[in-house]
């Protein structure tokens, strides 16, 4: 049996055995002592949040997020009369933030009913969860859940005698996997799964490969709008925010080295150049290196500039890009941080030796001091610096969330046979639609193809405008 299990991404589950124990043990059937029994103003107790009294504060947070989520708000307005999700019963397992609340309320306005849990034990905004609970949505989430709470909350969403889910919106795959393992009959009646994260998508492909995926699933992680906006544009802004909040550094004239000139590296390089930094780049790929040259950046090896740089940022998705040897040679005061997914890009472990002193100077900021007095400034211990030290703009989340909503609508309404039990990318036309929902914010006016032009290019005037292989 163990051989068939797929280990969840959830970081606390360090071993397969621990996970098996977690989902098979009886604790899922009973309330943990840390659960709070509140009643909202309409008398409902079908939720579990930290403190329902903070609902008004959470409602304000949601209203602020709505201002910067034009795609979702437009979708809500355009489709509310059609109710394309009428009858959809969606299990949600995502970060519970003000932006997610806007998504939840949009899905409900489109006709769905939902039950929602957190996909991460730390990221829930308690006041937002309270506002949703007060609004009558069954939310099971609070910041600082333990492992038992985490699985209990997802289980409370799935297992309800008056409500049988038919769709899953997942971020990381934990709701999908709990249902598959514990409620296989319910799982087979699901109409579709929408998955947002790299890890969750990876797990879906594994299920598909081993023929255990018995429902169609949509991979929204790899839709163009998500990749471009999350990786390039969001990082372009959040790298500056993260560096400023943690170090108050003056950017002008600083020598910055960016390792990796992919989407994330391009965003960081552009932003820092704009602030007057002298930006250099390292690359392994000649195409990306040439792009960096054409964009006006010097392409160097880390070894060549290691003694002169003021800020070092890794964005490669690789490991051991910055080693102890490099760190030993950095100049006094150099700021070191990582924008890539994993915390292995900088060999932070190699800094935990006796001769080096660690001094925590702020939250997420450590000074590492060498015996000769040299110090470097390490941010977020080498974890994703923007997610650890700054916030993600609601506008970017609006794009991803609109993609998720459209994926749910597509899977829920697709005629039998359009999707088999496999993992799909969102149709390009929908990606284009998500982008178009965000254009009015900028008063952007699209040019329409003439009949003659459409014929010449072999396109439908309403799109899609690019083939699937087009790289934006
Ligand atoms: N911080 C965030 O908010 C955020 C957002 C999206 C993605 N990410 C993560 O950032 C990382 C990069 O994402 P991306 O979309 O730019 O990927 P990408 O593949 O487009 O770019 C990575 C680049 O690094 C280069 N590279 C690999 N090893 C290298 C090395 N040893 N030295 C120099 N260059 C090297 C590759 O050739 C590639 O061009 C990934 O881990 C991704 O998951 C972070």
């Amino acid at each position: 049996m163990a051989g068939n299990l797929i280990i969840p991404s959830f970081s606390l589950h360090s071993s397969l055995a621990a996970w098996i124990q977690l989902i098979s043990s009886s604790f899922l059937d009973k309330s943990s002592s840390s659960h709070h029994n509140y009643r909202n103003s309409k008398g409902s107790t079908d939720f579990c949040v930290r403190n329902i009294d903070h609902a008004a504060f959470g409602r304000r947070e949601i209203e602020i997020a709505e201002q910067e989520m034009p795609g979702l708000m437009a979708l809500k307005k355009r489709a509310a009369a059609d109710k394309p999700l009428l009858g959809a019963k969606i299990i949600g397992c995502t970060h519970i933030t003000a932006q997610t609340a806007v998504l939840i309320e949009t899905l409900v306005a489109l006709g769905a009913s939902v039950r929602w849990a957190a996909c991460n034990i730390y990221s829930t905004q308690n006041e937002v969860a309270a506002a949703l609970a007060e609004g009558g949505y069954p939310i099971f989430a609070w910041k600082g859940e333990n492992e038992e709470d985490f699985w209990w909350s997802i289980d409370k969403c799935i297992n309800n005698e008056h409500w049988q889910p038919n769709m899953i919106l997942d971020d990381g795959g934990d709701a999908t996997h709990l249902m598959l393992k514990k409620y296989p009959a319910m799982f087979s009646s699901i109409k579709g799964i929408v998955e947002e994260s790299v890890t969750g998508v990876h797990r879906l492909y594994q299920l598909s490969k081993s023929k255990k995926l018995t429902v169609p699933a949509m991979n929204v992680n790899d839709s163009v709008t998500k990749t471009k906006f999350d990786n390039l544009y969001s990082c372009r802004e959040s790298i500056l925010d993260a560096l400023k909040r943690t170090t108050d550094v003056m950017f002008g004239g600083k020598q910055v080295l960016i390792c990796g000139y992919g989407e994330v590296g391009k965003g960081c390089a552009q932003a820092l150049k704009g602030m007057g930094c002298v930006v250099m780049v390292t690359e392994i790929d000649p195409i990306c290196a040439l792009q960096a040259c054409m964009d006006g950046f010097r392409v160097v090896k880390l070894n060549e500039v290691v003694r002169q740089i003021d800020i070092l940022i890794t964005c490669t998705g690789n490991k051991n890009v910055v080693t102890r040897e490099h760190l030993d040679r950095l100049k006094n005061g150099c700021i070191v941080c990582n924008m890539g997914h994993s915390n292995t890009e900088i060999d932070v472990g190699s800094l935990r030796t006796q001769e080096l002193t660690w001094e925590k100077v702020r939250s997420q900021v450590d000074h590492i001091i060498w015996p000769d007095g040299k110090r470097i400034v390490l941010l977020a211990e080498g974890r994703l610096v923007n997610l650890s030290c700054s916030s993600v703009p609601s506008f970017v989340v609006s794009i991803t969330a609109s993609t998720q909503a459209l994926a749910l609508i597509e899977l829920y309404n697709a005629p039998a046979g359009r999707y088999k039990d496999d993992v799909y990318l969102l149709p390009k036309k929908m990606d284009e639609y998500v982008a178009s929902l965000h254009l009015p914010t900028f008063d952007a006016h699209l040019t329409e193809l003439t009949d003659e032009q459409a014929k010449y290019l072999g396109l439908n005037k309403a799109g899609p405008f690019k083939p699937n292989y087009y790289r934006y």
Side-chain angles (χ1 to χ4, degrees), residues 74-113:
L75 195 60
K76 195 170 173 179
K77 216 162 153 188
R78 287 188 198 181
D82 300 341
K83 299 247 182 286
L85 288 174
L86 194 66
K89 294 182 176 163
I90 304 168
I91 294 279
C93 184
T94 66
H95 299 281
I96 308 270
T97 60
Q99 294 102 344
T100 306
V102 180
L103 171 63
I104 291 173
E105 296 193 331
T106 301
L107 298 176
V108 172
L110 302 185
S113 66

mmCIF file of all heavy atoms in Angstrom, residues 74-113:
data_model
loop_
_atom_site.group_PDB
_atom_site.id
_atom_site.type_symbol
_atom_site.label_atom_id
_atom_site.label_comp_id
_atom_site.label_asym_id
_atom_site.label_seq_id
_atom_site.Cartn_x
_atom_site.Cartn_y
_atom_site.Cartn_z
ATOM 1 N N ALA A 74 -14.648 41.938 -12.654
ATOM 2 C CA ALA A 74 -15.306 41.992 -13.969
ATOM 3 C C ALA A 74 -16.016 40.675 -14.258
ATOM 4 O O ALA A 74 -17.146 40.651 -14.763
ATOM 5 C CB ALA A 74 -14.279 42.288 -15.056
ATOM 6 N N LEU A 75 -15.346 39.575 -13.910
ATOM 7 C CA LEU A 75 -15.933 38.253 -14.133
ATOM 8 C C LEU A 75 -17.230 38.116 -13.345
ATOM 9 O O LEU A 75 -18.250 37.620 -13.839
ATOM 10 C CB LEU A 75 -14.922 37.202 -13.682
ATOM 11 C CG LEU A 75 -15.139 35.768 -14.124
ATOM 12 C CD1 LEU A 75 -15.129 35.673 -15.643
ATOM 13 C CD2 LEU A 75 -14.041 34.883 -13.541
ATOM 14 N N LYS A 76 -17.166 38.586 -12.116
ATOM 15 C CA LYS A 76 -18.331 38.520 -11.231
ATOM 16 C C LYS A 76 -19.501 39.292 -11.862
ATOM 17 O O LYS A 76 -20.625 38.814 -11.903
ATOM 18 C CB LYS A 76 -17.932 39.175 -9.908
ATOM 19 C CG LYS A 76 -18.825 38.918 -8.735
ATOM 20 C CD LYS A 76 -18.089 39.446 -7.513
ATOM 21 C CE LYS A 76 -18.908 39.427 -6.270
ATOM 22 N NZ LYS A 76 -18.138 39.922 -5.118
ATOM 23 N N LYS A 77 -19.189 40.462 -12.397
ATOM 24 C CA LYS A 77 -20.216 41.323 -12.968
ATOM 25 C C LYS A 77 -20.779 40.716 -14.257
ATOM 26 O O LYS A 77 -21.991 40.652 -14.455
ATOM 27 C CB LYS A 77 -19.591 42.682 -13.292
ATOM 28 C CG LYS A 77 -20.500 43.847 -13.061
ATOM 29 C CD LYS A 77 -19.646 45.086 -12.994
ATOM 30 C CE LYS A 77 -20.377 46.322 -13.400
ATOM 31 N NZ LYS A 77 -19.467 47.446 -13.498
ATOM 32 N N ARG A 78 -19.842 40.233 -15.126
ATOM 33 C CA ARG A 78 -20.289 39.746 -16.432
ATOM 34 C C ARG A 78 -21.057 38.440 -16.334
ATOM 35 O O ARG A 78 -21.967 38.193 -17.115
ATOM 36 C CB ARG A 78 -19.076 39.501 -17.337
ATOM 37 C CG ARG A 78 -18.454 40.776 -17.810
ATOM 38 C CD ARG A 78 -17.387 40.483 -18.850
ATOM 39 N NE ARG A 78 -16.511 41.632 -18.982
ATOM 40 C CZ ARG A 78 -15.499 41.722 -19.816
ATOM 41 N NH1 ARG A 78 -15.230 40.705 -20.602
ATOM 42 N NH2 ARG A 78 -14.753 42.787 -19.878
ATOM 43 N N ALA A 79 -20.649 37.564 -15.400
ATOM 44 C CA ALA A 79 -21.235 36.224 -15.406
ATOM 45 C C ALA A 79 -22.255 35.994 -14.305
ATOM 46 O O ALA A 79 -22.864 34.931 -14.240
ATOM 47 C CB ALA A 79 -20.117 35.184 -15.310
ATOM 48 N N ALA A 80 -22.451 37.009 -13.449
ATOM 49 C CA ALA A 80 -23.341 36.786 -12.306
ATOM 50 C C ALA A 80 -24.747 36.409 -12.761
ATOM 51 O O ALA A 80 -25.394 35.539 -12.162
ATOM 52 C CB ALA A 80 -23.375 38.024 -11.428
ATOM 53 N N ALA A 81 -25.226 37.011 -13.856
ATOM 54 C CA ALA A 81 -26.582 36.709 -14.308
ATOM 55 C C ALA A 81 -26.662 35.291 -14.883
ATOM 56 O O ALA A 81 -27.657 34.588 -14.683
ATOM 57 C CB ALA A 81 -27.008 37.723 -15.358
ATOM 58 N N ASP A 82 -25.595 34.842 -15.571
ATOM 59 C CA ASP A 82 -25.602 33.500 -16.194
ATOM 60 C C ASP A 82 -25.436 32.377 -15.171
ATOM 61 O O ASP A 82 -25.816 31.250 -15.407
ATOM 62 C CB ASP A 82 -24.442 33.372 -17.194
ATOM 63 C CG ASP A 82 -24.556 34.397 -18.290
ATOM 64 O OD1 ASP A 82 -25.666 34.931 -18.472
ATOM 65 O OD2 ASP A 82 -23.532 34.691 -18.944
ATOM 66 N N LYS A 83 -24.773 32.689 -14.072
ATOM 67 C CA LYS A 83 -24.480 31.682 -13.035
ATOM 68 C C LYS A 83 -23.879 30.404 -13.644
ATOM 69 O O LYS A 83 -24.456 29.310 -13.536
ATOM 70 C CB LYS A 83 -25.748 31.330 -12.249
ATOM 71 C CG LYS A 83 -26.370 32.508 -11.518
ATOM 72 C CD LYS A 83 -26.251 32.315 -10.020
ATOM 73 C CE LYS A 83 -26.874 33.411 -9.208
ATOM 74 N NZ LYS A 83 -26.164 34.666 -9.149
ATOM 75 N N PRO A 84 -22.704 30.514 -14.273
ATOM 76 C CA PRO A 84 -22.099 29.336 -14.915
ATOM 77 C C PRO A 84 -21.663 28.251 -13.936
ATOM 78 O O PRO A 84 -21.331 27.140 -14.358
ATOM 79 C CB PRO A 84 -20.887 29.916 -15.654
ATOM 80 C CG PRO A 84 -20.567 31.179 -14.925
ATOM 81 C CD PRO A 84 -21.865 31.722 -14.437
ATOM 82 N N LEU A 85 -21.652 28.573 -12.645
ATOM 83 C CA LEU A 85 -21.261 27.550 -11.671
ATOM 84 C C LEU A 85 -22.458 27.086 -10.825
ATOM 85 O O LEU A 85 -22.264 26.504 -9.754
ATOM 86 C CB LEU A 85 -20.144 28.094 -10.766
ATOM 87 C CG LEU A 85 -18.775 28.246 -11.453
ATOM 88 C CD1 LEU A 85 -17.769 28.936 -10.534
ATOM 89 C CD2 LEU A 85 -18.227 26.881 -11.888
ATOM 90 N N LEU A 86 -23.663 27.337 -11.342
ATOM 91 C CA LEU A 86 -24.842 26.922 -10.579
ATOM 92 C C LEU A 86 -24.804 25.409 -10.358
ATOM 93 O O LEU A 86 -24.687 24.644 -11.308
ATOM 94 C CB LEU A 86 -26.114 27.304 -11.343
ATOM 95 C CG LEU A 86 -27.392 27.236 -10.517
ATOM 96 C CD1 LEU A 86 -27.369 28.287 -9.396
ATOM 97 C CD2 LEU A 86 -28.614 27.456 -11.398
ATOM 98 N N GLY A 87 -24.871 25.003 -9.116
ATOM 99 C CA GLY A 87 -24.838 23.569 -8.796
ATOM 100 C C GLY A 87 -23.436 23.060 -8.510
ATOM 101 O O GLY A 87 -23.269 21.940 -8.023
ATOM 102 N N ALA A 88 -22.405 23.872 -8.801
ATOM 103 C CA ALA A 88 -21.037 23.430 -8.498
ATOM 104 C C ALA A 88 -20.820 23.463 -6.990
ATOM 105 O O ALA A 88 -21.198 24.430 -6.327
ATOM 106 C CB ALA A 88 -20.022 24.333 -9.198
ATOM 107 N N LYS A 89 -20.243 22.393 -6.464
ATOM 108 C CA LYS A 89 -19.935 22.342 -5.031
ATOM 109 C C LYS A 89 -18.428 22.161 -4.922
ATOM 110 O O LYS A 89 -17.909 21.081 -5.202
ATOM 111 C CB LYS A 89 -20.693 21.194 -4.369
ATOM 112 C CG LYS A 89 -22.191 21.452 -4.392
ATOM 113 C CD LYS A 89 -22.931 20.355 -3.700
ATOM 114 C CE LYS A 89 -24.409 20.708 -3.661
ATOM 115 N NZ LYS A 89 -25.240 19.552 -3.367
ATOM 116 N N ILE A 90 -17.788 23.249 -4.547
ATOM 117 C CA ILE A 90 -16.331 23.301 -4.664
ATOM 118 C C ILE A 90 -15.655 23.170 -3.307
ATOM 119 O O ILE A 90 -15.939 23.933 -2.376
ATOM 120 C CB ILE A 90 -15.894 24.628 -5.321
ATOM 121 C CG1 ILE A 90 -16.582 24.794 -6.681
ATOM 122 C CG2 ILE A 90 -14.377 24.687 -5.464
ATOM 123 C CD1 ILE A 90 -16.438 26.195 -7.272
ATOM 124 N N ILE A 91 -14.730 22.193 -3.217
ATOM 125 C CA ILE A 91 -13.824 22.130 -2.072
ATOM 126 C C ILE A 91 -12.636 22.999 -2.420
ATOM 127 O O ILE A 91 -11.963 22.765 -3.432
ATOM 128 C CB ILE A 91 -13.277 20.694 -1.883
ATOM 129 C CG1 ILE A 91 -14.372 19.724 -1.496
ATOM 130 C CG2 ILE A 91 -12.135 20.677 -0.873
ATOM 131 C CD1 ILE A 91 -14.742 19.748 -0.056
ATOM 132 N N GLY A 92 -12.339 23.997 -1.600
ATOM 133 C CA GLY A 92 -11.167 24.833 -1.841
ATOM 134 C C GLY A 92 -10.105 24.552 -0.800
ATOM 135 O O GLY A 92 -10.411 24.380 0.388
ATOM 136 N N CYS A 93 -8.858 24.467 -1.251
ATOM 137 C CA CYS A 93 -7.750 24.304 -0.307
ATOM 138 C C CYS A 93 -6.604 25.175 -0.825
ATOM 139 O O CYS A 93 -5.812 24.751 -1.657
ATOM 140 C CB CYS A 93 -7.350 22.835 -0.215
ATOM 141 S SG CYS A 93 -6.077 22.534 1.021
ATOM 142 N N THR A 94 -6.570 26.422 -0.368
ATOM 143 C CA THR A 94 -5.596 27.401 -0.857
ATOM 144 C C THR A 94 -5.152 28.272 0.321
ATOM 145 O O THR A 94 -5.659 28.105 1.430
ATOM 146 C CB THR A 94 -6.240 28.334 -1.912
ATOM 147 O OG1 THR A 94 -7.246 29.124 -1.255
ATOM 148 C CG2 THR A 94 -6.894 27.576 -3.045
ATOM 149 N N HIS A 95 -4.241 29.210 0.054
ATOM 150 C CA HIS A 95 -3.916 30.195 1.089
ATOM 151 C C HIS A 95 -5.191 30.998 1.371
ATOM 152 O O HIS A 95 -5.915 31.347 0.443
ATOM 153 C CB HIS A 95 -2.821 31.141 0.606
ATOM 154 C CG HIS A 95 -1.544 30.425 0.282
ATOM 155 N ND1 HIS A 95 -0.651 30.018 1.243
ATOM 156 C CD2 HIS A 95 -1.033 30.023 -0.902
ATOM 157 C CE1 HIS A 95 0.348 29.401 0.667
ATOM 158 N NE2 HIS A 95 0.153 29.381 -0.639
ATOM 159 N N ILE A 96 -5.473 31.274 2.634
ATOM 160 C CA ILE A 96 -6.676 32.059 2.959
ATOM 161 C C ILE A 96 -6.240 33.494 3.222
ATOM 162 O O ILE A 96 -5.760 33.826 4.312
ATOM 163 C CB ILE A 96 -7.397 31.494 4.202
ATOM 164 C CG1 ILE A 96 -7.642 30.005 4.048
ATOM 165 C CG2 ILE A 96 -8.677 32.284 4.488
ATOM 166 C CD1 ILE A 96 -8.904 29.591 3.410
ATOM 167 N N THR A 97 -6.367 34.297 2.188
ATOM 168 C CA THR A 97 -5.971 35.696 2.270
ATOM 169 C C THR A 97 -7.139 36.546 1.772
ATOM 170 O O THR A 97 -8.134 36.003 1.282
ATOM 171 C CB THR A 97 -4.771 35.958 1.350
ATOM 172 O OG1 THR A 97 -5.182 35.621 0.015
ATOM 173 C CG2 THR A 97 -3.568 35.111 1.724
ATOM 174 N N ALA A 98 -6.962 37.861 1.844
ATOM 175 C CA ALA A 98 -8.030 38.746 1.365
ATOM 176 C C ALA A 98 -8.296 38.478 -0.119
ATOM 177 O O ALA A 98 -9.441 38.512 -0.574
ATOM 178 C CB ALA A 98 -7.616 40.197 1.579
ATOM 179 N N GLN A 99 -7.236 38.182 -0.868
ATOM 180 C CA GLN A 99 -7.415 37.944 -2.306
ATOM 181 C C GLN A 99 -8.206 36.655 -2.548
ATOM 182 O O GLN A 99 -9.061 36.598 -3.431
ATOM 183 C CB GLN A 99 -6.055 37.838 -3.006
ATOM 184 C CG GLN A 99 -5.268 39.134 -3.005
ATOM 185 C CD GLN A 99 -4.161 39.136 -1.963
ATOM 186 O OE1 GLN A 99 -4.158 38.309 -1.058
ATOM 187 N NE2 GLN A 99 -3.234 40.070 -2.068
ATOM 188 N N THR A 100 -7.924 35.632 -1.742
ATOM 189 C CA THR A 100 -8.684 34.387 -1.880
ATOM 190 C C THR A 100 -10.147 34.628 -1.553
ATOM 191 O O THR A 100 -11.044 34.047 -2.174
ATOM 192 C CB THR A 100 -8.148 33.295 -0.923
ATOM 193 O OG1 THR A 100 -6.763 33.159 -1.147
ATOM 194 C CG2 THR A 100 -8.839 31.970 -1.135
ATOM 195 N N ALA A 101 -10.377 35.497 -0.565
ATOM 196 C CA ALA A 101 -11.764 35.795 -0.183
ATOM 197 C C ALA A 101 -12.514 36.395 -1.371
ATOM 198 O O ALA A 101 -13.679 36.075 -1.613
ATOM 199 C CB ALA A 101 -11.785 36.752 1.000
ATOM 200 N N VAL A 102 -11.822 37.246 -2.138
ATOM 201 C CA VAL A 102 -12.468 37.835 -3.318
ATOM 202 C C VAL A 102 -12.798 36.713 -4.318
ATOM 203 O O VAL A 102 -13.880 36.698 -4.919
ATOM 204 C CB VAL A 102 -11.568 38.918 -3.966
ATOM 205 C CG1 VAL A 102 -12.252 39.529 -5.180
ATOM 206 C CG2 VAL A 102 -11.237 40.012 -2.956
ATOM 207 N N LEU A 103 -11.898 35.757 -4.460
ATOM 208 C CA LEU A 103 -12.163 34.624 -5.361
ATOM 209 C C LEU A 103 -13.364 33.812 -4.861
ATOM 210 O O LEU A 103 -14.276 33.483 -5.626
ATOM 211 C CB LEU A 103 -10.924 33.718 -5.454
ATOM 212 C CG LEU A 103 -11.122 32.390 -6.183
ATOM 213 C CD1 LEU A 103 -11.498 32.600 -7.652
ATOM 214 C CD2 LEU A 103 -9.863 31.517 -6.104
ATOM 215 N N ILE A 104 -13.369 33.508 -3.567
ATOM 216 C CA ILE A 104 -14.457 32.702 -2.999
ATOM 217 C C ILE A 104 -15.802 33.391 -3.253
ATOM 218 O O ILE A 104 -16.768 32.767 -3.714
ATOM 219 C CB ILE A 104 -14.241 32.478 -1.478
ATOM 220 C CG1 ILE A 104 -13.033 31.565 -1.256
ATOM 221 C CG2 ILE A 104 -15.493 31.906 -0.815
ATOM 222 C CD1 ILE A 104 -12.627 31.406 0.210
ATOM 223 N N GLU A 105 -15.844 34.684 -2.992
ATOM 224 C CA GLU A 105 -17.122 35.396 -3.149
ATOM 225 C C GLU A 105 -17.515 35.496 -4.622
ATOM 226 O O GLU A 105 -18.699 35.514 -4.956
ATOM 227 C CB GLU A 105 -17.041 36.757 -2.447
ATOM 228 C CG GLU A 105 -16.850 36.542 -0.933
ATOM 229 C CD GLU A 105 -17.064 37.778 -0.078
ATOM 230 O OE1 GLU A 105 -16.837 38.883 -0.567
ATOM 231 O OE2 GLU A 105 -17.468 37.610 1.094
ATOM 232 N N THR A 106 -16.528 35.532 -5.503
ATOM 233 C CA THR A 106 -16.829 35.528 -6.939
ATOM 234 C C THR A 106 -17.443 34.178 -7.336
ATOM 235 O O THR A 106 -18.459 34.127 -8.032
ATOM 236 C CB THR A 106 -15.535 35.780 -7.758
ATOM 237 O OG1 THR A 106 -15.002 37.031 -7.373
ATOM 238 C CG2 THR A 106 -15.804 35.782 -9.252
ATOM 239 N N LEU A 107 -16.826 33.089 -6.883
ATOM 240 C CA LEU A 107 -17.334 31.752 -7.244
ATOM 241 C C LEU A 107 -18.777 31.589 -6.759
ATOM 242 O O LEU A 107 -19.628 31.041 -7.463
ATOM 243 C CB LEU A 107 -16.443 30.652 -6.649
ATOM 244 C CG LEU A 107 -14.985 30.633 -7.140
ATOM 245 C CD1 LEU A 107 -14.186 29.561 -6.404
ATOM 246 C CD2 LEU A 107 -14.932 30.387 -8.647
ATOM 247 N N VAL A 108 -19.040 32.080 -5.572
ATOM 248 C CA VAL A 108 -20.396 31.956 -5.022
ATOM 249 C C VAL A 108 -21.373 32.828 -5.823
ATOM 250 O O VAL A 108 -22.486 32.409 -6.142
ATOM 251 C CB VAL A 108 -20.399 32.299 -3.511
ATOM 252 C CG1 VAL A 108 -21.819 32.376 -2.969
ATOM 253 C CG2 VAL A 108 -19.606 31.243 -2.739
ATOM 254 N N ALA A 109 -20.916 34.020 -6.216
ATOM 255 C CA ALA A 109 -21.779 34.895 -7.036
ATOM 256 C C ALA A 109 -22.087 34.231 -8.383
ATOM 257 O O ALA A 109 -23.121 34.488 -8.988
ATOM 258 C CB ALA A 109 -21.096 36.239 -7.263
ATOM 259 N N LEU A 110 -21.185 33.373 -8.840
ATOM 260 C CA LEU A 110 -21.402 32.683 -10.122
ATOM 261 C C LEU A 110 -22.232 31.408 -9.956
ATOM 262 O O LEU A 110 -22.393 30.645 -10.902
ATOM 263 C CB LEU A 110 -20.061 32.354 -10.785
ATOM 264 C CG LEU A 110 -19.136 33.557 -11.061
ATOM 265 C CD1 LEU A 110 -17.895 33.129 -11.830
ATOM 266 C CD2 LEU A 110 -19.856 34.652 -11.818
ATOM 267 N N GLY A 111 -22.682 31.161 -8.751
ATOM 268 C CA GLY A 111 -23.611 30.052 -8.555
ATOM 269 C C GLY A 111 -23.094 28.893 -7.724
ATOM 270 O O GLY A 111 -23.843 27.975 -7.393
ATOM 271 N N ALA A 112 -21.801 28.910 -7.384
ATOM 272 C CA ALA A 112 -21.233 27.758 -6.662
ATOM 273 C C ALA A 112 -21.541 27.825 -5.173
ATOM 274 O O ALA A 112 -21.823 28.898 -4.633
ATOM 275 C CB ALA A 112 -19.721 27.734 -6.865
ATOM 276 N N SER A 113 -21.480 26.672 -4.520
ATOM 277 C CA SER A 113 -21.364 26.675 -3.067
ATOM 278 C C SER A 113 -19.983 26.094 -2.752
ATOM 279 O O SER A 113 -19.442 25.313 -3.541
ATOM 280 C CB SER A 113 -22.483 25.885 -2.400
ATOM 281 O OG SER A 113 -22.379 24.526 -2.727
#
